[in-house]
Amino acid sequence: MLVHTQLFHDEITLRRYSERTRKSYLYAINQLVKHYNQPIDTVSDIQLSAYFRYLNLDKGLSRATIQLQLNGIHFYFEHVLKRHFTIDMCLPRAT
């Protein structure tokens, strides 16, 4: 389950992001939580790297979709959790 939901909505509203972006980011965050079945604030940088590798190699998502997932998760970590992360990832080539 996502923690700090109200804070997420407050932060994204303060920045005047569109409703579509809000929904996309929330979807990305919830997919990460569902994938690891643990609170998002306990997900490590190593797990984040593995998750994006999974999206690329196992799920075969496009570069744009992976980038959107990264943007949403990065927003949550930076603006809600106030936590920076470093991940090792390679995006698929744009087609």
Side-chain angles (χ1 to χ4, degrees):
M1 182 173 180
L2 187 61
V3 293
H4 311 295
T5 305
Q6 186 59 51
L7 187 54
F8 167 77
H9 289 295
D10 291 348
E11 290 294 325
I12 210 161
T13 300
L14 283 170
R15 289 163 177 77
R16 299 189 188 272
Y17 283 30
S18 71
E19 184 61 26
R20 184 174 178 181
T21 300
R22 178 192 311 260
K23 288 179 181 178
S24 296
Y25 281 14
L26 199 53
Y27 177 78
I29 296 158
N30 282 319
Q31 288 301 110
L32 175 65
V33 170
K34 181 179 173 185
H35 181 76
Y36 282 113
N37 195 31
Q38 70 187 67
I40 194 169
D41 56 348
T42 65
V43 175
S44 70
D45 289 4
I46 292 170
Q47 286 176 300
L48 286 169
S49 292
Y51 179 69
F52 284 102
R53 187 173 180 85
Y54 160 77
L55 293 180
N56 188 350
L57 296 176
D58 296 345
K59 300 254 322 185
L61 298 181
S62 72
R63 179 185 189 94
T65 301
I66 294 171
Q67 187 66 54
L68 181 61
Q69 297 274 319
L70 176 61
N71 291 346
I73 292 166
H74 177 264
F75 180 92
Y76 193 84
F77 271 72
E78 183 173 318
H79 299 293
V80 177
L81 298 178
K82 308 293 187 206
R83 177 181 145 197
H84 295 285
F85 64 84
T86 304
I87 60 171
D88 180 26
M89 69 179 268
C90 179
L91 292 171
R93 194 175 84 190
T95 54

XYZ file of all heavy atoms in Angstrom:
807
model
N 0.830 -1.182 0.000
C 0.000 0.000 0.000
C 0.880 1.253 0.000
O 1.909 1.308 0.642
C -0.915 -0.013 1.218
C -1.837 1.151 1.271
S -3.009 0.937 2.624
C -3.900 2.423 2.410
N 0.431 2.240 -0.727
C 1.183 3.475 -0.849
C 1.052 4.310 0.407
O -0.038 4.531 0.911
C 0.665 4.261 -2.055
C 1.431 5.499 -2.455
C 2.859 5.140 -2.844
C 0.735 6.176 -3.605
N 2.187 4.753 0.925
C 2.181 5.639 2.089
C 2.301 7.077 1.605
O 2.744 7.331 0.489
C 3.323 5.298 3.069
C 3.108 3.941 3.696
C 4.674 5.361 2.394
N 1.883 7.994 2.420
C 2.008 9.421 2.112
C 1.195 9.826 0.880
O 1.609 10.706 0.115
C 3.470 9.826 1.906
C 4.401 9.364 2.964
N 4.314 9.804 4.270
C 5.439 8.497 2.927
C 5.271 9.225 4.980
N 5.955 8.437 4.194
N 0.036 9.219 0.671
C -0.773 9.509 -0.507
C -1.162 10.984 -0.569
O -1.052 11.607 -1.630
C -2.033 8.621 -0.535
O -1.631 7.255 -0.446
C -2.824 8.838 -1.792
N -1.601 11.543 0.547
C -2.004 12.950 0.542
C -0.832 13.858 0.230
O -0.964 14.822 -0.523
C -2.653 13.345 1.876
C -3.227 14.752 1.870
C -4.284 14.949 0.793
O -5.224 14.161 0.690
N -4.128 15.979 -0.015
N 0.326 13.538 0.769
C 1.517 14.337 0.501
C 1.871 14.287 -0.990
O 2.245 15.303 -1.588
C 2.688 13.868 1.360
C 3.960 14.697 1.314
C 3.694 16.166 1.618
C 4.981 14.133 2.284
N 1.740 13.111 -1.599
C 1.972 12.980 -3.041
C 1.049 13.910 -3.814
O 1.486 14.671 -4.683
C 1.771 11.527 -3.497
C 1.692 11.379 -4.993
C 2.839 11.422 -5.768
C 0.471 11.224 -5.622
C 2.763 11.306 -7.152
C 0.385 11.106 -6.999
C 1.538 11.139 -7.764
N -0.240 13.853 -3.492
C -1.204 14.697 -4.200
C -0.927 16.180 -3.969
O -1.043 16.987 -4.893
C -2.633 14.326 -3.798
C -3.056 13.002 -4.347
N -3.197 12.761 -5.695
C -3.361 11.843 -3.739
C -3.565 11.509 -5.889
N -3.666 10.927 -4.710
N -0.542 16.541 -2.761
C -0.211 17.934 -2.466
C 0.997 18.396 -3.285
O 0.979 19.478 -3.885
C 0.080 18.126 -0.977
C -1.145 17.973 -0.097
O -2.275 17.941 -0.626
O -0.960 17.866 1.130
N 2.044 17.574 -3.311
C 3.272 17.937 -4.016
C 3.035 18.072 -5.522
O 3.546 18.989 -6.161
C 4.379 16.917 -3.746
C 4.926 16.954 -2.337
C 5.655 18.249 -2.018
O 6.309 18.825 -2.903
O 5.564 18.699 -0.864
N 2.261 17.174 -6.085
C 2.029 17.214 -7.534
C 1.093 18.372 -7.899
O 1.236 18.992 -8.946
C 1.546 15.843 -8.050
C 1.986 15.641 -9.489
C 0.072 15.662 -7.881
C 1.978 14.218 -9.965
N 0.177 18.705 -6.983
C -0.717 19.839 -7.205
C 0.043 21.156 -7.115
O -0.174 22.062 -7.927
C -1.877 19.818 -6.186
O -2.594 18.590 -6.348
C -2.822 20.982 -6.388
N 0.950 21.260 -6.157
C 1.768 22.463 -6.019
C 2.539 22.774 -7.300
O 2.755 23.933 -7.643
C 2.772 22.303 -4.871
C 2.230 22.452 -3.458
C 3.279 22.028 -2.448
C 1.794 23.894 -3.216
N 2.942 21.740 -7.998
C 3.727 21.906 -9.221
C 2.847 22.006 -10.462
O 3.345 22.100 -11.574
C 4.721 20.754 -9.346
C 5.829 20.888 -8.323
C 6.602 19.592 -8.132
N 7.688 19.781 -7.191
C 7.538 19.856 -5.871
N 6.345 19.742 -5.327
N 8.572 20.037 -5.078
N 1.534 21.945 -10.265
C 0.535 22.090 -11.339
C 0.715 21.053 -12.457
O 0.552 21.366 -13.641
C 0.531 23.500 -11.898
C 0.188 24.539 -10.863
C -0.031 25.895 -11.488
N -0.170 26.926 -10.484
C -1.317 27.283 -9.909
N -2.417 26.669 -10.245
N -1.346 28.241 -9.010
N 1.045 19.834 -12.057
C 1.109 18.755 -13.038
C -0.314 18.416 -13.462
O -1.260 18.568 -12.693
C 1.774 17.515 -12.434
C 3.284 17.585 -12.312
C 3.959 18.784 -12.121
C 4.037 16.433 -12.368
C 5.334 18.833 -11.999
C 5.422 16.461 -12.242
C 6.056 17.667 -12.065
O 7.416 17.715 -11.940
N -0.454 17.916 -14.666
C -1.778 17.582 -15.187
C -2.344 16.352 -14.475
O -1.610 15.561 -13.865
C -1.710 17.308 -16.688
O -1.057 16.073 -16.940
N -3.647 16.182 -14.587
C -4.304 15.023 -14.003
C -3.785 13.734 -14.650
O -3.629 12.711 -13.991
C -5.825 15.135 -14.165
C -6.592 14.017 -13.492
C -6.395 13.942 -11.986
O -6.081 14.970 -11.347
O -6.538 12.826 -11.434
N -3.509 13.795 -15.923
C -2.978 12.624 -16.634
C -1.612 12.225 -16.074
O -1.324 11.048 -15.872
C -2.887 12.920 -18.122
C -2.440 11.744 -18.935
C -2.504 12.061 -20.407
N -2.034 10.935 -21.174
C -1.948 10.920 -22.472
N -2.319 11.973 -23.172
N -1.486 9.870 -23.102
N -0.760 13.223 -15.816
C 0.553 12.950 -15.230
C 0.396 12.390 -13.827
O 1.077 11.431 -13.455
C 1.414 14.227 -15.206
O 1.588 14.686 -16.549
C 2.766 13.991 -14.563
N -0.508 12.961 -13.044
C -0.768 12.468 -11.691
C -1.147 10.985 -11.721
O -0.596 10.182 -10.975
C -1.896 13.278 -11.055
C -2.291 12.810 -9.657
C -3.598 13.444 -9.199
N -3.634 14.875 -9.380
C -3.420 15.763 -8.414
N -3.145 15.364 -7.192
N -3.478 17.043 -8.666
N -2.050 10.635 -12.605
C -2.494 9.230 -12.704
C -1.361 8.322 -13.175
O -1.198 7.217 -12.658
C -3.694 9.124 -13.640
C -4.961 9.676 -13.053
C -6.118 9.575 -14.028
C -7.389 10.153 -13.426
N -8.522 10.102 -14.359
N -0.586 8.792 -14.138
C 0.535 7.989 -14.648
C 1.586 7.755 -13.575
O 2.098 6.646 -13.427
C 1.175 8.678 -15.857
O 0.272 8.750 -16.921
N 1.915 8.799 -12.836
C 2.904 8.683 -11.772
C 2.400 7.765 -10.670
O 3.135 6.924 -10.159
C 3.247 10.047 -11.197
C 4.209 10.878 -12.021
C 4.510 10.562 -13.341
C 4.819 11.997 -11.473
C 5.386 11.328 -14.078
C 5.702 12.772 -12.209
C 5.980 12.434 -13.510
O 6.862 13.193 -14.244
N 1.146 7.920 -10.295
C 0.570 7.083 -9.254
C 0.557 5.618 -9.680
O 0.859 4.723 -8.893
C -0.840 7.566 -8.920
C -1.432 7.125 -7.601
C -0.521 7.437 -6.427
C -2.794 7.776 -7.399
N 0.251 5.372 -10.948
C 0.284 4.009 -11.476
C 1.696 3.427 -11.376
O 1.882 2.292 -10.926
C -0.195 3.997 -12.938
C -0.118 2.637 -13.572
C -1.074 1.670 -13.315
C 0.940 2.308 -14.418
C -1.004 0.408 -13.894
C 1.029 1.054 -15.001
C 0.052 0.109 -14.731
O 0.145 -1.143 -15.300
N 2.699 4.207 -11.785
C 4.093 3.743 -11.732
C 4.499 3.397 -10.309
O 5.121 2.351 -10.060
C 5.023 4.814 -12.308
N 4.135 4.246 -9.371
C 4.488 4.032 -7.968
C 3.802 2.784 -7.428
O 4.432 1.949 -6.767
C 4.116 5.277 -7.135
C 4.947 6.480 -7.592
C 4.283 5.021 -5.652
C 4.328 7.809 -7.237
N 2.525 2.640 -7.737
C 1.787 1.471 -7.258
C 2.292 0.172 -7.875
O 2.290 -0.869 -7.216
C 0.290 1.655 -7.498
C -0.336 2.569 -6.478
O -0.036 2.506 -5.297
N -1.215 3.452 -6.930
N 2.740 0.219 -9.121
C 3.303 -0.982 -9.753
C 4.582 -1.416 -9.046
O 4.819 -2.609 -8.865
C 3.566 -0.725 -11.243
C 2.309 -0.651 -12.073
C 1.480 -1.916 -11.999
O 0.406 -1.923 -11.409
N 1.963 -2.979 -12.569
N 5.403 -0.446 -8.654
C 6.631 -0.768 -7.912
C 6.288 -1.403 -6.571
O 6.873 -2.427 -6.197
C 7.472 0.495 -7.707
C 8.728 0.334 -6.849
C 9.738 -0.587 -7.521
C 9.347 1.697 -6.554
N 5.343 -0.827 -5.861
C 4.924 -1.364 -4.556
C 4.377 -2.782 -4.735
O 4.711 -3.695 -3.970
C 3.877 -0.445 -3.902
C 3.262 -1.097 -2.681
C 4.508 0.893 -3.530
N 3.565 -2.979 -5.753
C 2.973 -4.301 -6.028
C 4.062 -5.320 -6.380
O 4.016 -6.466 -5.930
C 1.971 -4.166 -7.178
C 1.267 -5.429 -7.547
C 0.278 -5.165 -8.674
C -0.321 -6.449 -9.190
N -1.181 -6.219 -10.354
N 5.045 -4.887 -7.160
C 6.120 -5.785 -7.590
C 6.904 -6.332 -6.396
O 7.207 -7.520 -6.337
C 7.059 -5.053 -8.546
C 8.180 -5.885 -9.068
N 8.001 -6.832 -10.049
C 9.493 -5.927 -8.731
C 9.161 -7.420 -10.301
N 10.084 -6.884 -9.508
N 7.230 -5.467 -5.458
C 8.037 -5.887 -4.307
C 7.218 -6.251 -3.076
O 7.749 -6.826 -2.132
C 9.092 -4.833 -3.959
C 10.258 -4.889 -4.906
C 10.526 -3.854 -5.785
C 11.088 -6.006 -4.948
C 11.593 -3.918 -6.667
C 12.147 -6.089 -5.821
C 12.394 -5.038 -6.675
O 13.449 -5.117 -7.550
N 5.945 -5.900 -3.076
C 5.072 -6.228 -1.951
C 5.679 -5.793 -0.613
O 5.747 -6.563 0.341
C 4.732 -7.726 -1.941
C 3.564 -8.025 -1.032
O 2.679 -7.201 -0.853
N 3.561 -9.202 -0.438
N 6.159 -4.562 -0.601
C 6.726 -3.980 0.613
C 6.519 -2.471 0.534
O 6.310 -1.934 -0.556
C 8.205 -4.328 0.758
C 9.125 -3.649 -0.236
C 10.554 -4.144 -0.153
O 10.818 -5.287 -0.463
N 11.467 -3.269 0.239
N 6.575 -1.782 1.649
C 6.407 -0.326 1.622
C 7.467 0.325 0.722
O 8.632 -0.073 0.733
C 6.600 0.094 3.082
C 6.311 -1.136 3.875
C 6.745 -2.296 3.017
N 7.051 1.311 -0.030
C 7.960 1.944 -0.996
C 9.162 2.587 -0.315
O 10.250 2.623 -0.880
C 7.213 2.954 -1.891
C 8.081 3.339 -3.092
C 6.746 4.154 -1.090
C 7.358 4.099 -4.164
N 8.985 3.057 0.902
C 10.111 3.711 1.578
C 11.172 2.725 2.053
O 12.215 3.132 2.553
C 9.642 4.612 2.715
C 8.786 3.915 3.748
O 8.348 2.777 3.508
O 8.546 4.519 4.807
N 10.922 1.418 1.874
C 11.921 0.405 2.228
C 12.601 -0.187 0.990
O 13.473 -1.049 1.123
C 11.298 -0.734 3.055
O 10.349 -1.436 2.253
C 10.636 -0.196 4.317
N 12.209 0.250 -0.197
C 12.808 -0.260 -1.431
C 14.197 0.346 -1.589
O 14.373 1.566 -1.506
C 11.919 0.083 -2.654
C 12.590 -0.325 -3.951
C 10.558 -0.603 -2.532
N 15.180 -0.509 -1.817
C 16.573 -0.066 -1.918
C 16.929 0.351 -3.342
O 16.202 0.049 -4.297
C 17.511 -1.195 -1.484
O 17.490 -2.238 -2.450
N 18.054 1.017 -3.486
C 18.546 1.396 -4.807
C 18.803 0.158 -5.668
O 18.548 0.170 -6.867
C 19.838 2.211 -4.690
C 19.610 3.615 -4.145
O 18.461 3.948 -3.771
O 20.579 4.390 -4.081
N 19.300 -0.895 -5.057
C 19.557 -2.143 -5.790
C 18.236 -2.715 -6.310
O 18.154 -3.168 -7.455
C 20.301 -3.162 -4.899
C 21.712 -2.655 -4.614
C 20.328 -4.543 -5.532
C 22.476 -3.436 -3.568
N 17.200 -2.680 -5.483
C 15.888 -3.149 -5.926
C 15.339 -2.282 -7.055
O 14.734 -2.800 -7.992
C 14.901 -3.161 -4.758
C 15.140 -4.279 -3.769
C 14.201 -4.171 -2.584
O 14.218 -3.167 -1.870
N 13.386 -5.196 -2.384
N 15.562 -0.982 -6.963
C 15.100 -0.093 -8.033
C 15.805 -0.420 -9.354
O 15.159 -0.492 -10.404
C 15.342 1.374 -7.658
C 14.400 1.950 -6.608
C 14.903 3.309 -6.141
C 12.985 2.057 -7.136
N 17.110 -0.636 -9.304
C 17.844 -1.013 -10.511
C 17.305 -2.312 -11.088
O 17.092 -2.425 -12.298
C 19.337 -1.155 -10.213
O 19.911 0.085 -9.916
N 17.054 -3.279 -10.226
C 16.525 -4.572 -10.666
C 15.127 -4.411 -11.255
O 14.772 -5.076 -12.238
C 16.506 -5.559 -9.502
N 14.327 -3.533 -10.688
C 12.970 -3.308 -11.175
C 12.988 -2.729 -12.591
O 12.254 -3.198 -13.476
C 12.221 -2.374 -10.224
C 10.811 -2.069 -10.667
C 9.829 -3.067 -10.648
C 10.453 -0.804 -11.100
C 8.536 -2.799 -11.053
C 9.159 -0.527 -11.505
C 8.200 -1.531 -11.477
O 6.912 -1.261 -11.881
N 13.841 -1.753 -12.835
C 13.902 -1.171 -14.174
C 14.500 -2.142 -15.186
O 14.114 -2.141 -16.353
C 14.628 0.180 -14.146
C 13.762 1.260 -13.575
C 13.942 1.693 -12.275
C 12.731 1.801 -14.315
C 13.116 2.669 -11.737
C 11.895 2.769 -13.784
C 12.084 3.203 -12.491
N 15.382 -2.991 -14.738
C 15.906 -4.058 -15.610
C 14.774 -5.025 -15.968
O 14.635 -5.445 -17.115
C 17.051 -4.783 -14.901
C 17.767 -5.775 -15.740
C 18.992 -6.313 -14.986
N 19.709 -7.265 -15.763
C 20.625 -6.970 -16.665
N 20.944 -5.721 -16.897
N 21.236 -7.922 -17.339
N 13.945 -5.352 -14.988
C 12.772 -6.218 -15.204
C 11.815 -5.585 -16.221
O 11.329 -6.265 -17.130
C 12.088 -6.448 -13.854
C 10.660 -6.890 -13.919
C 10.320 -8.206 -14.234
C 9.623 -5.989 -13.664
C 8.992 -8.609 -14.296
C 8.301 -6.376 -13.721
C 7.991 -7.689 -14.043
O 6.674 -8.088 -14.106
N 11.543 -4.289 -16.073
C 10.640 -3.614 -17.009
C 11.181 -3.664 -18.433
O 10.422 -3.833 -19.389
C 10.434 -2.146 -16.601
C 9.697 -1.880 -15.297
C 9.588 -0.371 -15.055
C 8.319 -2.520 -15.286
N 12.490 -3.534 -18.559
C 13.125 -3.533 -19.868
C 13.211 -4.939 -20.460
O 12.716 -5.186 -21.557
C 14.523 -2.922 -19.750
C 15.201 -2.695 -21.082
O 14.742 -3.139 -22.115
N 16.322 -2.016 -21.048
N 13.813 -5.845 -19.736
C 14.102 -7.172 -20.282
C 12.921 -8.142 -20.216
O 12.656 -8.844 -21.186
C 15.306 -7.782 -19.557
C 16.629 -7.042 -19.729
C 17.707 -7.689 -18.884
C 17.023 -6.968 -21.192
N 12.249 -8.200 -19.089
C 11.179 -9.191 -18.919
C 9.841 -8.705 -19.466
O 9.124 -9.459 -20.110
C 11.021 -9.584 -17.450
C 12.248 -10.289 -16.899
O 13.099 -10.735 -17.701
O 12.384 -10.383 -15.672
N 9.510 -7.471 -19.190
C 8.225 -6.934 -19.648
C 8.315 -6.359 -21.059
O 7.308 -6.207 -21.723
C 7.714 -5.859 -18.681
C 7.500 -6.358 -17.276
C 6.128 -6.565 -16.803
C 5.093 -5.616 -17.220
N 3.803 -5.806 -16.632
N 9.521 -6.028 -21.500
C 9.717 -5.508 -22.851
C 9.042 -4.167 -23.105
O 8.595 -3.894 -24.215
N 9.003 -3.331 -22.080
C 8.348 -2.032 -22.229
C 9.193 -1.096 -23.095
O 10.403 -1.234 -23.184
C 8.120 -1.394 -20.852
C 7.202 -2.164 -19.897
C 7.047 -1.401 -18.590
C 5.841 -2.417 -20.526
N 8.526 -0.147 -23.715
C 9.216 0.811 -24.574
C 10.042 1.785 -23.747
O 9.828 1.947 -22.539
C 8.200 1.596 -25.409
O 7.485 2.502 -24.581
N 10.937 2.459 -24.416
C 11.771 3.462 -23.782
C 10.905 4.541 -23.119
O 11.154 4.937 -21.986
C 12.696 4.091 -24.830
C 13.591 5.164 -24.298
C 14.403 5.822 -25.434
N 15.413 6.694 -24.900
C 16.670 6.343 -24.670
N 17.079 5.123 -24.939
N 17.522 7.219 -24.172
N 9.881 5.004 -23.829
C 9.009 6.061 -23.307
C 8.263 5.601 -22.065
O 8.121 6.359 -21.096
C 8.027 6.512 -24.387
N 7.797 4.365 -22.054
C 7.069 3.839 -20.903
C 7.986 3.691 -19.700
O 7.615 4.052 -18.578
C 6.398 2.495 -21.255
O 5.515 2.697 -22.354
C 5.635 1.925 -20.080
N 9.178 3.178 -19.917
C 10.145 3.038 -18.824
C 10.526 4.414 -18.291
O 10.616 4.615 -17.075
C 11.381 2.240 -19.277
C 10.985 0.798 -19.589
C 12.466 2.277 -18.206
C 12.072 -0.023 -20.244
N 10.716 5.376 -19.179
C 11.065 6.732 -18.746
C 9.939 7.342 -17.917
O 10.198 8.000 -16.910
C 11.362 7.618 -19.970
C 11.901 8.976 -19.597
C 13.267 8.914 -18.943
O 14.192 8.336 -19.494
N 13.396 9.504 -17.778
N 8.695 7.097 -18.300
C 7.557 7.597 -17.533
C 7.517 6.952 -16.145
O 7.276 7.632 -15.144
C 6.249 7.342 -18.277
C 4.985 7.834 -17.592
C 5.013 9.343 -17.396
C 3.771 7.434 -18.400
N 7.777 5.650 -16.087
C 7.846 4.950 -14.796
C 8.937 5.561 -13.922
O 8.721 5.834 -12.740
C 8.133 3.459 -15.009
C 7.071 2.702 -15.767
C 5.975 2.204 -14.878
O 6.218 1.737 -13.784
N 4.745 2.313 -15.342
N 10.097 5.799 -14.523
C 11.211 6.394 -13.787
C 10.838 7.791 -13.286
O 11.108 8.123 -12.127
C 12.455 6.463 -14.670
C 13.680 7.143 -14.055
C 14.145 6.421 -12.800
C 14.807 7.221 -15.079
N 10.217 8.593 -14.126
C 9.834 9.947 -13.723
C 8.878 9.929 -12.530
O 9.032 10.712 -11.589
C 9.197 10.699 -14.886
C 10.167 11.024 -15.986
O 11.378 10.935 -15.826
N 9.633 11.378 -17.143
N 7.899 9.040 -12.568
C 6.937 8.949 -11.477
C 7.569 8.500 -10.171
O 7.316 9.081 -9.110
N 8.405 7.487 -10.250
C 9.069 6.969 -9.056
C 10.067 7.988 -8.524
O 10.152 8.222 -7.315
C 9.718 5.602 -9.361
C 8.599 4.567 -9.606
C 10.648 5.157 -8.246
C 9.056 3.278 -10.235
N 10.793 8.632 -9.418
C 11.737 9.671 -9.002
C 11.003 10.817 -8.309
O 11.455 11.312 -7.265
C 12.514 10.182 -10.214
C 13.454 11.291 -9.879
N 13.123 12.620 -10.036
C 14.708 11.272 -9.361
C 14.132 13.367 -9.642
N 15.106 12.574 -9.228
N 9.878 11.244 -8.855
C 9.093 12.317 -8.245
C 8.714 11.938 -6.819
O 8.869 12.737 -5.889
C 7.824 12.593 -9.067
C 6.973 13.682 -8.486
C 7.139 14.990 -8.884
C 6.002 13.400 -7.534
C 6.370 16.007 -8.345
C 5.225 14.404 -6.977
C 5.414 15.714 -7.389
N 8.223 10.727 -6.636
C 7.794 10.291 -5.307
C 8.960 10.250 -4.328
O 8.861 10.730 -3.208
C 7.113 8.926 -5.394
C 6.380 8.560 -4.141
C 5.081 9.000 -3.916
C 6.975 7.783 -3.148
C 4.397 8.687 -2.755
C 6.301 7.457 -1.986
C 5.016 7.916 -1.799
O 4.343 7.603 -0.646
N 10.066 9.695 -4.770
C 11.230 9.601 -3.883
C 11.765 10.990 -3.531
O 12.083 11.264 -2.376
C 12.338 8.752 -4.528
C 12.211 7.291 -4.226
C 11.215 6.535 -4.814
C 13.077 6.674 -3.354
C 11.083 5.188 -4.543
C 12.961 5.319 -3.067
C 11.956 4.575 -3.658
N 11.870 11.874 -4.524
C 12.472 13.181 -4.279
C 11.550 14.132 -3.515
O 11.975 14.776 -2.559
C 12.865 13.833 -5.605
C 13.555 15.174 -5.405
C 14.100 15.746 -6.692
O 14.671 14.977 -7.490
O 13.949 16.962 -6.891
N 10.292 14.203 -3.908
C 9.409 15.226 -3.353
C 8.556 14.753 -2.175
O 8.085 15.583 -1.401
C 8.512 15.798 -4.443
C 9.280 16.459 -5.534
N 10.004 17.616 -5.335
C 9.475 16.115 -6.830
C 10.595 17.963 -6.466
N 10.294 17.062 -7.390
N 8.332 13.470 -2.071
C 7.503 12.947 -0.977
C 8.374 12.323 0.107
O 8.280 12.682 1.273
C 6.451 11.943 -1.498
C 5.643 11.356 -0.351
C 5.530 12.609 -2.516
N 9.242 11.401 -0.290
C 10.099 10.730 0.689
C 11.346 11.549 1.027
O 12.038 11.236 1.993
C 10.530 9.356 0.166
C 9.408 8.350 -0.098
C 9.988 7.057 -0.648
C 8.593 8.088 1.158
N 11.628 12.555 0.212
C 12.831 13.394 0.405
C 14.092 12.532 0.406
O 14.986 12.671 1.225
C 12.766 14.205 1.706
C 11.514 15.018 1.876
C 11.433 16.124 0.870
C 10.237 17.023 1.199
N 9.711 17.716 0.064
N 14.118 11.606 -0.551
C 15.222 10.655 -0.651
C 15.731 10.607 -2.092
O 14.944 10.525 -3.021
C 14.727 9.268 -0.236
C 15.760 8.185 -0.358
C 15.216 6.832 0.035
N 15.825 5.816 -0.790
C 15.367 4.600 -0.948
N 14.261 4.216 -0.335
N 15.981 3.750 -1.721
N 17.030 10.690 -2.241
C 17.638 10.556 -3.562
C 17.996 9.088 -3.775
O 18.233 8.353 -2.823
C 18.894 11.418 -3.677
C 18.598 12.878 -3.577
N 18.020 13.599 -4.598
C 18.784 13.757 -2.567
C 17.861 14.843 -4.223
N 18.315 14.973 -2.985
N 18.004 8.679 -5.015
C 18.450 7.321 -5.307
C 19.330 7.325 -6.546
O 19.240 8.210 -7.382
C 17.275 6.339 -5.463
C 16.348 6.618 -6.614
C 16.634 6.178 -7.891
C 15.162 7.297 -6.404
C 15.769 6.425 -8.941
C 14.277 7.539 -7.447
C 14.592 7.107 -8.721
N 20.190 6.342 -6.586
C 21.073 6.150 -7.723
C 20.829 4.755 -8.245
O 20.916 3.784 -7.488
C 22.549 6.289 -7.304
O 22.726 7.571 -6.688
C 23.473 6.157 -8.476
N 20.507 4.687 -9.529
C 20.273 3.373 -10.108
C 21.128 3.193 -11.348
O 21.520 4.163 -11.985
C 18.783 3.141 -10.460
C 18.291 4.168 -11.465
C 17.923 3.144 -9.222
C 16.917 3.866 -12.018
N 21.389 1.949 -11.641
C 22.121 1.582 -12.845
C 21.099 0.990 -13.808
O 20.530 -0.056 -13.540
C 23.210 0.555 -12.486
C 24.006 0.134 -13.684
O 24.100 0.909 -14.657
O 24.554 -0.985 -13.654
N 20.843 1.725 -14.892
C 19.865 1.209 -15.850
C 20.243 1.613 -17.256
O 20.938 2.589 -17.482
C 18.460 1.699 -15.508
C 18.223 3.168 -15.702
S 16.538 3.652 -15.295
C 15.733 3.500 -16.869
N 19.767 0.812 -18.162
C 19.987 1.057 -19.582
C 18.606 1.054 -20.237
O 17.856 0.083 -20.094
C 20.879 -0.039 -20.163
S 21.169 0.161 -21.909
N 18.296 2.125 -20.918
C 17.009 2.200 -21.605
C 17.117 1.563 -22.982
O 18.178 1.638 -23.623
C 16.567 3.662 -21.750
C 16.204 4.383 -20.477
C 16.003 5.868 -20.761
C 14.950 3.795 -19.871
N 16.038 0.949 -23.448
C 16.075 0.399 -24.796
C 16.216 1.525 -25.826
O 15.825 2.663 -25.557
C 14.728 -0.318 -24.939
C 13.854 0.241 -23.882
C 14.748 0.746 -22.807
N 16.750 1.188 -26.947
C 16.902 2.177 -28.012
C 15.528 2.608 -28.512
O 14.627 1.790 -28.651
C 17.708 1.551 -29.161
C 18.212 2.566 -30.155
C 19.069 1.927 -31.177
N 18.165 1.392 -32.197
C 18.523 0.593 -33.163
N 19.757 0.170 -33.241
N 17.670 0.178 -34.045
N 15.375 3.879 -28.773
C 14.105 4.387 -29.307
C 13.938 3.886 -30.726
O 14.890 3.861 -31.505
C 14.089 5.903 -29.268
N 12.716 3.488 -31.036
C 12.476 2.971 -32.394
C 11.653 3.918 -33.214
O 11.069 4.831 -32.744
C 11.743 1.616 -32.344
O 10.547 1.755 -31.570
C 12.622 0.564 -31.761
